Amino acid sequence: MKQYNILIADDDKEIATSIELFLKAEGYRVFTAYNGLDALDIVMSESIHLMILDIMMPKLDGIHALMRVRERKNMPVILLSAKSEDSDKILGLTAGADDYVTKPFNPAELMARVRSQLRRYTQFGSMKAEPDEIILGGLRINTASKTVTVDGSEVRLTPSEYKILELLCRNKGRVFSVEEIYRNLWNDNPVGDNTIAVHIRHIREKIEINPKEPRYIKVVWGIGYKADY
Protein backbone atom coordinates (compact mmCIF):
# COMPACT_ATOMS: atom_id res chain seq x y z
CA MET A 1 0.00 0.00 0.00
CA LYS A 2 1.37 3.41 -0.97
CA GLN A 3 2.35 5.71 1.90
CA TYR A 4 1.27 9.28 1.24
CA ASN A 5 3.26 12.33 2.34
CA ILE A 6 1.23 15.11 3.95
CA LEU A 7 2.47 18.57 4.86
CA ILE A 8 0.90 20.46 7.78
CA ALA A 9 1.62 24.19 7.66
CA ASP A 10 0.32 25.99 10.75
CA ASP A 11 2.06 28.41 13.12
CA ASP A 12 -0.01 27.05 16.04
CA LYS A 13 2.23 24.18 17.11
CA GLU A 14 -0.45 22.61 19.30
CA ILE A 15 -2.85 22.35 16.37
CA ALA A 16 -0.08 21.09 14.06
CA THR A 17 0.93 18.42 16.59
CA SER A 18 -2.68 17.33 17.08
CA ILE A 19 -3.25 16.94 13.33
CA GLU A 20 0.08 15.12 13.00
CA LEU A 21 -0.96 12.53 15.61
CA PHE A 22 -4.22 11.77 13.78
CA LEU A 23 -2.48 11.55 10.40
CA LYS A 24 0.26 9.25 11.66
CA ALA A 25 -2.36 7.02 13.29
CA GLU A 26 -3.82 6.49 9.80
CA GLY A 27 -0.41 5.62 8.35
CA TYR A 28 0.53 8.87 6.62
CA ARG A 29 4.05 10.27 6.58
CA VAL A 30 3.91 13.81 7.96
CA PHE A 31 5.98 16.95 7.37
CA THR A 32 5.42 20.13 9.39
CA ALA A 33 6.10 23.82 8.81
CA TYR A 34 5.28 26.79 11.03
CA ASN A 35 5.44 29.58 8.44
CA GLY A 36 4.64 29.99 4.77
CA LEU A 37 8.21 30.15 3.51
CA ASP A 38 9.23 26.90 5.22
CA ALA A 39 6.09 25.29 3.81
CA LEU A 40 7.13 26.30 0.29
CA ASP A 41 10.63 24.90 0.81
CA ILE A 42 9.20 21.53 1.83
CA VAL A 43 6.73 21.41 -1.07
CA MET A 44 9.51 22.09 -3.56
CA SER A 45 12.03 19.67 -2.05
CA GLU A 46 9.83 16.72 -1.03
CA SER A 47 7.22 14.61 -2.79
CA ILE A 48 4.14 15.96 -1.03
CA HIS A 49 0.79 14.39 -1.91
CA LEU A 50 -1.49 16.69 0.12
CA MET A 51 -1.08 19.94 2.02
CA ILE A 52 -3.04 21.19 5.05
CA LEU A 53 -2.41 24.93 5.05
CA ASP A 54 -3.35 27.55 7.65
CA ILE A 55 -4.20 30.97 6.22
CA MET A 56 -2.79 33.19 8.97
CA MET A 57 0.96 32.44 9.14
CA PRO A 58 4.14 34.50 9.59
CA LYS A 59 6.64 35.33 6.81
CA LEU A 60 4.18 34.32 4.08
CA ASP A 61 0.44 33.91 4.62
CA GLY A 62 -1.43 30.84 3.45
CA ILE A 63 -3.17 32.47 0.50
CA HIS A 64 0.08 33.74 -1.02
CA ALA A 65 1.84 30.46 -0.21
CA LEU A 66 -0.98 28.61 -2.00
CA MET A 67 -0.68 30.83 -5.06
CA ARG A 68 3.07 30.11 -5.19
CA VAL A 69 2.44 26.37 -4.83
CA ARG A 70 -0.07 26.40 -7.68
CA GLU A 71 2.57 27.79 -10.03
CA ARG A 72 4.42 24.46 -9.79
CA LYS A 73 2.32 21.78 -8.09
CA ASN A 74 -1.09 20.19 -8.48
CA MET A 75 -1.57 18.20 -5.25
CA PRO A 76 -4.69 18.78 -3.10
CA VAL A 77 -4.59 21.66 -0.62
CA ILE A 78 -6.97 21.93 2.36
CA LEU A 79 -7.07 25.41 3.87
CA LEU A 80 -7.53 25.93 7.62
CA SER A 81 -8.89 29.21 8.91
CA ALA A 82 -10.51 30.78 11.94
CA LYS A 83 -12.56 32.89 9.50
CA SER A 84 -15.89 31.40 8.47
CA GLU A 85 -17.28 34.15 6.23
CA ASP A 86 -18.30 33.08 2.74
CA SER A 87 -16.01 35.75 1.27
CA ASP A 88 -13.00 34.16 3.00
CA LYS A 89 -13.91 30.71 1.68
CA ILE A 90 -14.40 32.08 -1.83
CA LEU A 91 -11.00 33.81 -1.67
CA GLY A 92 -9.28 30.58 -0.60
CA LEU A 93 -11.00 28.42 -3.21
CA THR A 94 -10.34 30.99 -5.93
CA ALA A 95 -6.63 31.01 -5.00
CA GLY A 96 -6.52 27.27 -5.72
CA ALA A 97 -7.59 25.43 -2.56
CA ASP A 98 -9.46 22.14 -2.95
CA ASP A 99 -11.23 22.35 0.41
CA TYR A 100 -11.73 24.79 3.29
CA VAL A 101 -12.03 23.82 6.97
CA THR A 102 -12.98 26.32 9.67
CA LYS A 103 -11.36 26.28 13.10
CA PRO A 104 -12.19 24.81 15.54
CA PHE A 105 -12.73 21.61 13.59
CA ASN A 106 -13.54 17.98 14.29
CA PRO A 107 -10.35 15.94 13.71
CA ALA A 108 -12.39 13.00 12.42
CA GLU A 109 -14.00 15.26 9.80
CA LEU A 110 -10.59 16.61 8.74
CA MET A 111 -9.30 13.04 8.34
CA ALA A 112 -12.33 12.20 6.19
CA ARG A 113 -11.63 15.22 4.00
CA VAL A 114 -7.97 14.17 3.68
CA ARG A 115 -8.99 10.68 2.55
CA SER A 116 -11.53 12.11 0.11
CA GLN A 117 -9.03 14.50 -1.48
CA LEU A 118 -6.35 11.82 -1.81
CA ARG A 119 -8.87 9.44 -3.36
CA ARG A 120 -9.85 12.03 -5.97
CA TYR A 121 -6.23 12.93 -6.65
CA THR A 122 -5.07 9.37 -7.16
CA GLN A 123 -8.07 8.47 -9.35
CA PHE A 124 -8.34 11.59 -11.48
CA GLY A 125 -5.32 13.78 -10.77
CA SER A 126 -1.68 13.89 -11.82
CA MET A 127 -0.66 11.10 -9.42
CA LYS A 128 -2.33 8.59 -11.72
CA ALA A 129 0.76 7.63 -13.71
CA GLU A 130 1.20 4.74 -16.06
CA PRO A 131 2.78 1.66 -14.42
CA ASP A 132 5.95 2.08 -16.47
CA GLU A 133 6.31 5.82 -15.89
CA ILE A 134 8.62 7.88 -13.73
CA ILE A 135 7.33 11.43 -13.19
CA LEU A 136 9.37 14.34 -11.90
CA GLY A 137 7.55 17.63 -12.34
CA GLY A 138 7.10 18.11 -16.08
CA LEU A 139 9.60 15.34 -16.84
CA ARG A 140 8.17 11.92 -17.74
CA ILE A 141 10.17 8.79 -18.44
CA ASN A 142 8.43 5.76 -19.93
CA THR A 143 10.66 2.85 -18.94
CA ALA A 144 8.89 0.43 -21.28
CA SER A 145 9.34 2.46 -24.47
CA LYS A 146 12.51 4.22 -23.20
CA THR A 147 11.03 7.58 -24.17
CA VAL A 148 11.38 10.91 -22.36
CA THR A 149 9.10 13.94 -22.54
CA VAL A 150 9.49 17.36 -20.93
CA ASP A 151 6.34 19.46 -20.57
CA GLY A 152 4.71 17.24 -23.21
CA SER A 153 7.49 17.45 -25.81
CA GLU A 154 9.58 14.38 -26.60
CA VAL A 155 13.30 14.59 -25.93
CA ARG A 156 15.75 12.37 -27.79
CA LEU A 157 18.57 10.98 -25.66
CA THR A 158 21.41 8.63 -26.49
CA PRO A 159 21.24 5.22 -24.74
CA SER A 160 23.89 6.30 -22.22
CA GLU A 161 22.13 9.59 -21.50
CA TYR A 162 18.84 7.75 -21.03
CA LYS A 163 20.39 5.26 -18.60
CA ILE A 164 21.87 8.04 -16.47
CA LEU A 165 18.61 10.00 -16.42
CA GLU A 166 16.52 6.95 -15.50
CA LEU A 167 18.95 5.98 -12.74
CA LEU A 168 18.85 9.44 -11.15
CA CYS A 169 15.08 9.96 -11.53
CA ARG A 170 14.19 6.49 -10.29
CA ASN A 171 16.13 7.36 -7.13
CA LYS A 172 14.87 10.95 -6.73
CA GLY A 173 16.81 12.92 -4.11
CA ARG A 174 19.62 10.38 -3.74
CA VAL A 175 23.09 11.66 -4.56
CA PHE A 176 25.18 9.41 -6.82
CA SER A 177 28.92 9.83 -7.11
CA VAL A 178 30.53 9.62 -10.55
CA GLU A 179 31.90 6.21 -9.57
CA GLU A 180 28.44 4.93 -8.59
CA ILE A 181 26.87 6.12 -11.84
CA TYR A 182 29.65 4.52 -13.86
CA ARG A 183 29.34 1.19 -12.02
CA ASN A 184 25.53 1.15 -12.28
CA LEU A 185 25.60 1.74 -16.01
CA TRP A 186 28.64 -0.14 -17.20
CA ASN A 187 29.49 -2.45 -14.30
CA ASP A 188 32.99 -1.03 -14.27
CA ASN A 189 35.05 1.61 -12.51
CA PRO A 190 35.69 4.99 -14.18
CA VAL A 191 39.09 5.36 -15.80
CA GLY A 192 39.73 8.94 -14.75
CA ASP A 193 38.01 10.67 -17.66
CA ASN A 194 35.05 13.06 -17.55
CA THR A 195 32.58 10.82 -19.43
CA ILE A 196 29.81 11.22 -16.84
CA ALA A 197 30.19 14.99 -16.66
CA VAL A 198 29.90 15.22 -20.45
CA HIS A 199 26.76 13.05 -20.47
CA ILE A 200 25.21 15.13 -17.68
CA ARG A 201 25.90 18.33 -19.62
CA HIS A 202 24.25 16.91 -22.73
CA ILE A 203 21.22 15.70 -20.73
CA ARG A 204 20.79 19.15 -19.20
CA GLU A 205 21.02 20.80 -22.62
CA LYS A 206 18.12 18.60 -23.77
CA ILE A 207 15.77 18.61 -20.76
CA GLU A 208 16.38 21.93 -19.01
CA ILE A 209 14.96 25.30 -20.03
CA ASN A 210 18.15 26.90 -18.70
CA PRO A 211 20.96 24.33 -18.27
CA LYS A 212 22.82 26.77 -16.00
CA GLU A 213 19.85 26.80 -13.61
CA PRO A 214 18.67 23.17 -13.83
CA ARG A 215 15.24 22.13 -12.59
CA TYR A 216 15.85 18.38 -12.63
CA ILE A 217 19.50 17.30 -12.56
CA LYS A 218 21.41 18.97 -9.74
CA VAL A 219 25.11 18.85 -8.89
CA VAL A 220 26.11 18.33 -5.27
CA TRP A 221 29.58 19.84 -5.25
CA GLY A 222 32.34 17.45 -4.25
CA ILE A 223 29.94 14.48 -4.08
CA GLY A 224 28.06 13.87 -7.32
CA TYR A 225 24.64 14.30 -8.96
CA LYS A 226 20.99 13.86 -8.05
CA ALA A 227 17.55 14.25 -9.65
CA ASP A 228 15.12 16.53 -7.86
CA TYR A 229 12.34 18.99 -8.52
Side-chain angles (χ1 to χ4, degrees):
M1 183 177 178
K2 183 178 179 65
Q3 184 182 48
Y4 296 114
N5 299 330
I6 297 180
L7 169 61
I8 305 166
D10 196 318
D11 63 326
D12 188 323
K13 294 187 179 182
E14 288 188 10
I15 290 178
T17 299
S18 174
I19 297 172
E20 180 178 6
L21 290 173
F22 279 95
L23 289 171
K24 285 186 173 179
E26 296 205 11
Y28 299 114
R29 184 183 180 203
V30 179
F31 296 80
T32 55
Y34 304 112
N35 65 71
L37 290 181
D38 286 348
L40 279 179
D41 286 342
I42 294 172
V43 167
M44 298 307 170
S45 61
E46 301 290 343
S47 179
I48 300 298
H49 302 120
L50 182 142
M51 186 178 186
I52 299 172
L53 178 64
D54 184 38
I55 290 181
M56 301 299 292
M57 285 192 299
K59 296 187 179 181
L60 186 68
D61 66 77
I63 295 296
H64 285 90
L66 173 59
M67 293 170 69
R68 295 269 294 275
V69 167
R70 283 293 177 246
E71 292 173 1
R72 302 282 293 275
K73 303 289 184 177
N74 192 38
M75 79 284 190
V77 176
I78 299 175
L79 282 181
L80 297 181
S81 177
K83 298 180 179 180
S84 59
E85 297 294 326
D86 287 344
S87 58
D88 297 309
K89 294 180 181 180
I90 291 169
L91 176 61
L93 295 171
T94 302
D98 298 278
D99 205 347
Y100 189 106
V101 176
T102 304
K103 297 178 181 179
F105 53 84
N106 183 330
E109 179 185 352
L110 179 60
M111 294 305 104
R113 290 173 183 264
V114 167
R115 290 192 295 271
S116 174
Q117 290 297 332
L118 284 173
R119 186 166 58 248
R120 282 188 196 172
Y121 188 45
T122 54
Q123 289 177 350
F124 305 112
S126 62
M127 275 181 62
K128 191 175 181 183
E130 295 298 324
D132 298 316
E133 242 181 359
I134 302 170
I135 300 175
L136 196 64
L139 174 67
R140 288 175 176 255
I141 301 172
N142 188 304
T143 58
S145 62
K146 307 297 183 187
T147 56
V148 176
T149 61
V150 178
D151 299 328
S153 299
E154 186 171 353
V155 175
R156 296 192 178 277
L157 301 178
T158 68
S160 295
E161 290 165 1
Y162 173 85
K163 288 178 183 178
I164 293 172
L165 183 64
E166 181 183 337
L167 173 69
L168 295 178
C169 291
R170 190 181 289 280
N171 298 276
K172 175 182 174 289
R174 177 183 165 186
V175 181
F176 285 84
S177 68
V178 170
E179 290 78 10
E180 287 176 312
I181 296 173
Y182 212 101
R183 284 196 296 270
N184 269 280
L185 269 60
W186 295 290
N187 196 29
D188 197 1
N189 291 318
V191 291
D193 61 12
N194 63 345
T195 300
I196 299 299
V198 171
H199 284 316
I200 293 289
R201 187 176 74 248
H202 289 163
I203 293 169
R204 280 176 164 174
E205 288 171 352
K206 294 177 180 180
I207 70 170
E208 304 285 2
I209 294 175
N210 181 358
K212 294 181 179 179
E213 296 180 6
R215 293 181 293 172
Y216 303 112
I217 305 301
K218 315 284 179 67
V219 62
V220 181
W221 295 108
I223 303 177
Y225 302 95
K226 68 175 182 177
D228 213 336
Y229 183 78

PDB file of all heavy atoms in Angstrom, residues 19 43 65 86 90 92-93 97 108 157 160 196 214:
ATOM      1  N   ILE A  19      -2.954  17.485  14.667  1.00  0.00           N
ATOM      2  CA  ILE A  19      -3.249  16.939  13.329  1.00  0.00           C
ATOM      3  C   ILE A  19      -2.241  15.855  12.970  1.00  0.00           C
ATOM      4  O   ILE A  19      -2.597  14.801  12.419  1.00  0.00           O
ATOM      5  CB  ILE A  19      -3.228  18.061  12.276  1.00  0.00           C
ATOM      6  CG1 ILE A  19      -4.323  19.090  12.562  1.00  0.00           C
ATOM      7  CG2 ILE A  19      -3.398  17.479  10.871  1.00  0.00           C
ATOM      8  CD1 ILE A  19      -4.248  20.318  11.678  1.00  0.00           C
ATOM      9  N   VAL A  43       7.486  21.808   0.124  1.00  0.00           N
ATOM     10  CA  VAL A  43       6.730  21.411  -1.065  1.00  0.00           C
ATOM     11  C   VAL A  43       7.644  21.242  -2.270  1.00  0.00           C
ATOM     12  O   VAL A  43       7.476  20.314  -3.072  1.00  0.00           O
ATOM     13  CB  VAL A  43       5.630  22.455  -1.371  1.00  0.00           C
ATOM     14  CG1 VAL A  43       5.048  22.230  -2.763  1.00  0.00           C
ATOM     15  CG2 VAL A  43       4.519  22.373  -0.342  1.00  0.00           C
ATOM     16  N   ALA A  65       1.094  31.722  -0.101  1.00  0.00           N
ATOM     17  CA  ALA A  65       1.838  30.458  -0.214  1.00  0.00           C
ATOM     18  C   ALA A  65       1.130  29.522  -1.188  1.00  0.00           C
ATOM     19  O   ALA A  65       1.765  28.872  -2.031  1.00  0.00           O
ATOM     20  CB  ALA A  65       1.970  29.801   1.156  1.00  0.00           C
ATOM     21  N   ASP A  86     -18.289  33.614   4.102  1.00  0.00           N
ATOM     22  CA  ASP A  86     -18.296  33.080   2.736  1.00  0.00           C
ATOM     23  C   ASP A  86     -17.226  33.734   1.871  1.00  0.00           C
ATOM     24  O   ASP A  86     -16.606  33.075   1.026  1.00  0.00           O
ATOM     25  CB  ASP A  86     -19.670  33.286   2.091  1.00  0.00           C
ATOM     26  CG  ASP A  86     -20.728  32.348   2.655  1.00  0.00           C
ATOM     27  OD1 ASP A  86     -20.331  31.359   3.308  1.00  0.00           O
ATOM     28  OD2 ASP A  86     -21.922  32.602   2.455  1.00  0.00           O
ATOM     29  N   ILE A  90     -14.490  31.844  -0.386  1.00  0.00           N
ATOM     30  CA  ILE A  90     -14.401  32.076  -1.828  1.00  0.00           C
ATOM     31  C   ILE A  90     -12.987  32.508  -2.220  1.00  0.00           C
ATOM     32  O   ILE A  90     -12.439  32.055  -3.230  1.00  0.00           O
ATOM     33  CB  ILE A  90     -15.433  33.139  -2.257  1.00  0.00           C
ATOM     34  CG1 ILE A  90     -16.842  32.567  -2.116  1.00  0.00           C
ATOM     35  CG2 ILE A  90     -15.189  33.597  -3.696  1.00  0.00           C
ATOM     36  CD1 ILE A  90     -17.947  33.597  -2.265  1.00  0.00           C
ATOM     37  N   GLY A  92     -10.165  31.746  -0.680  1.00  0.00           N
ATOM     38  CA  GLY A  92      -9.284  30.579  -0.602  1.00  0.00           C
ATOM     39  C   GLY A  92      -9.473  29.619  -1.755  1.00  0.00           C
ATOM     40  O   GLY A  92      -8.502  29.137  -2.355  1.00  0.00           O
ATOM     41  N   LEU A  93     -10.730  29.347  -2.112  1.00  0.00           N
ATOM     42  CA  LEU A  93     -11.001  28.421  -3.208  1.00  0.00           C
ATOM     43  C   LEU A  93     -10.586  29.014  -4.546  1.00  0.00           C
ATOM     44  O   LEU A  93     -10.089  28.306  -5.423  1.00  0.00           O
ATOM     45  CB  LEU A  93     -12.490  28.057  -3.220  1.00  0.00           C
ATOM     46  CG  LEU A  93     -12.968  27.263  -1.991  1.00  0.00           C
ATOM     47  CD1 LEU A  93     -14.489  27.150  -1.992  1.00  0.00           C
ATOM     48  CD2 LEU A  93     -12.334  25.884  -1.940  1.00  0.00           C
ATOM     49  N   ALA A  97      -7.364  26.467  -3.573  1.00  0.00           N
ATOM     50  CA  ALA A  97      -7.590  25.433  -2.562  1.00  0.00           C
ATOM     51  C   ALA A  97      -8.613  24.423  -3.068  1.00  0.00           C
ATOM     52  O   ALA A  97      -9.510  24.751  -3.852  1.00  0.00           O
ATOM     53  CB  ALA A  97      -8.069  26.055  -1.256  1.00  0.00           C
ATOM     54  N   ALA A 108     -11.890  14.114  13.226  1.00  0.00           N
ATOM     55  CA  ALA A 108     -12.390  12.998  12.419  1.00  0.00           C
ATOM     56  C   ALA A 108     -12.901  13.500  11.070  1.00  0.00           C
ATOM     57  O   ALA A 108     -12.706  12.851  10.032  1.00  0.00           O
ATOM     58  CB  ALA A 108     -13.513  12.267  13.169  1.00  0.00           C
ATOM     59  N   LEU A 157      17.317  11.205 -26.386  1.00  0.00           N
ATOM     60  CA  LEU A 157      18.566  10.983 -25.661  1.00  0.00           C
ATOM     61  C   LEU A 157      19.310   9.805 -26.257  1.00  0.00           C
ATOM     62  O   LEU A 157      18.698   8.887 -26.816  1.00  0.00           O
ATOM     63  CB  LEU A 157      18.287  10.700 -24.187  1.00  0.00           C
ATOM     64  CG  LEU A 157      17.528  11.759 -23.374  1.00  0.00           C
ATOM     65  CD1 LEU A 157      17.303  11.252 -21.954  1.00  0.00           C
ATOM     66  CD2 LEU A 157      18.266  13.079 -23.350  1.00  0.00           C
ATOM     67  N   SER A 160      23.168   6.015 -23.457  1.00  0.00           N
ATOM     68  CA  SER A 160      23.890   6.304 -22.216  1.00  0.00           C
ATOM     69  C   SER A 160      23.228   7.440 -21.438  1.00  0.00           C
ATOM     70  O   SER A 160      23.097   7.384 -20.212  1.00  0.00           O
ATOM     71  CB  SER A 160      25.351   6.653 -22.508  1.00  0.00           C
ATOM     72  OG  SER A 160      26.036   5.549 -23.040  1.00  0.00           O
ATOM     73  N   ILE A 196      31.088  10.969 -17.499  1.00  0.00           N
ATOM     74  CA  ILE A 196      29.807  11.217 -16.835  1.00  0.00           C
ATOM     75  C   ILE A 196      29.458  12.703 -16.888  1.00  0.00           C
ATOM     76  O   ILE A 196      28.317  13.079 -17.177  1.00  0.00           O
ATOM     77  CB  ILE A 196      29.820  10.720 -15.377  1.00  0.00           C
ATOM     78  CG1 ILE A 196      30.079   9.206 -15.331  1.00  0.00           C
ATOM     79  CG2 ILE A 196      28.516  11.072 -14.682  1.00  0.00           C
ATOM     80  CD1 ILE A 196      29.031   8.373 -16.035  1.00  0.00           C
ATOM     81  N   PRO A 214      19.440  24.390 -13.551  1.00  0.00           N
ATOM     82  CA  PRO A 214      18.669  23.174 -13.826  1.00  0.00           C
ATOM     83  C   PRO A 214      17.507  22.955 -12.851  1.00  0.00           C
ATOM     84  O   PRO A 214      17.621  23.209 -11.664  1.00  0.00           O
ATOM     85  CB  PRO A 214      19.717  22.063 -13.697  1.00  0.00           C
ATOM     86  CG  PRO A 214      20.762  22.628 -12.800  1.00  0.00           C
ATOM     87  CD  PRO A 214      20.818  24.096 -13.121  1.00  0.00           C
TER      88      PRO A 214
END
